[in-house]
Amino acid sequence: MTITNAIVTDNISDGFAEVAPLGEDGEPEKRRCIAENPKSVKAKRGDVVEMKPAKPRDVSSTARLAYILPVVAFALVVILMGNTPWGERLIDAAILGFLFFIFAWLMNRRSRLLKRLEFTITKVTKKKFDW
């Protein structure tokens, strides 16, 4: 298990942080990585942290299920709007399908972050000085 030092550049969402690994000279590298930020550690932006490589997680099979919702919504609108003309029916179905796609994409943010996860923060070595 390799321990790496890094600086937290951004708190992305609950439980995830963007980090820049520190080079041999102590300066942050240009590359940015996604690290799991456990609630027990609570690293904040600007903190210097120790990290270990994360365990790979495969969440793609369950995450893809959310993208069936736009297709189902499109089909339901086409079926349930039986008395309206086809043009209006297709436009309404396309709008609702697009809205459901955006909803599915937003709800899958955690799975996209887990797919890019490289490290897990183990402890904060130096806190950023805040007034």
Side-chain angles (χ1 to χ4, degrees), residues 2 5 8 10-11 14 25 33 41 43 47 57 65 69-70 72 74 76 80-81 85 91-93 104 122 127:
T2 306
N5 289 330
V8 178
D10 195 14
N11 285 329
D14 191 32
D25 57 353
C33 305
V41 176
D47 292 347
R57 299 182 191 172
L65 290 175
L69 287 175
V72 170
F74 183 88
L76 279 176
L80 294 177
M81 293 183 68
I91 288 173
D92 291 344
T122 55
K127 289 230 176 243

Side-chain angles (χ1 to χ4, degrees), residues 27-123:
E27 291 295 316
E29 296 178 2
K30 290 189 178 189
R31 76 179 180 117
R32 301 290 187 255
C33 305
I34 303 297
E36 188 174 15
N37 189 5
K39 290 182 181 181
S40 60
V41 176
K42 294 183 184 175
K44 295 187 169 114
R45 185 180 204 166
D47 292 347
V48 177
V49 296
E50 283 185 359
M51 306 180 305
K52 65 178 182 179
K55 297 175 185 170
R57 299 182 191 172
D58 185 28
V59 293
S60 60
S61 59
T62 57
R64 290 184 190 146
L65 290 175
Y67 292 109
I68 293 174
L69 287 175
V71 176
V72 170
F74 183 88
L76 279 176
V77 169
V78 169
I79 291 170
L80 294 177
M81 293 183 68
N83 293 344
T84 58
W86 273 100
E88 185 178 337
R89 203 186 300 184
L90 291 177
I91 288 173
D92 291 344
I95 290 171
L96 191 65
F98 180 69
L99 290 175
F100 268 82
F101 175 77
I102 291 173
F103 177 72
W105 186 77
L106 290 173
M107 295 310 292
N108 270 330
R109 182 169 192 215
R110 180 170 175 78
S111 64
R112 289 193 311 271
L113 288 173
L114 283 173
K115 202 181 293 185
R116 294 181 48 205
L117 189 67
E118 294 182 46
F119 297 102
T120 300
I121 297 174
T122 55
K123 70 177 185 175

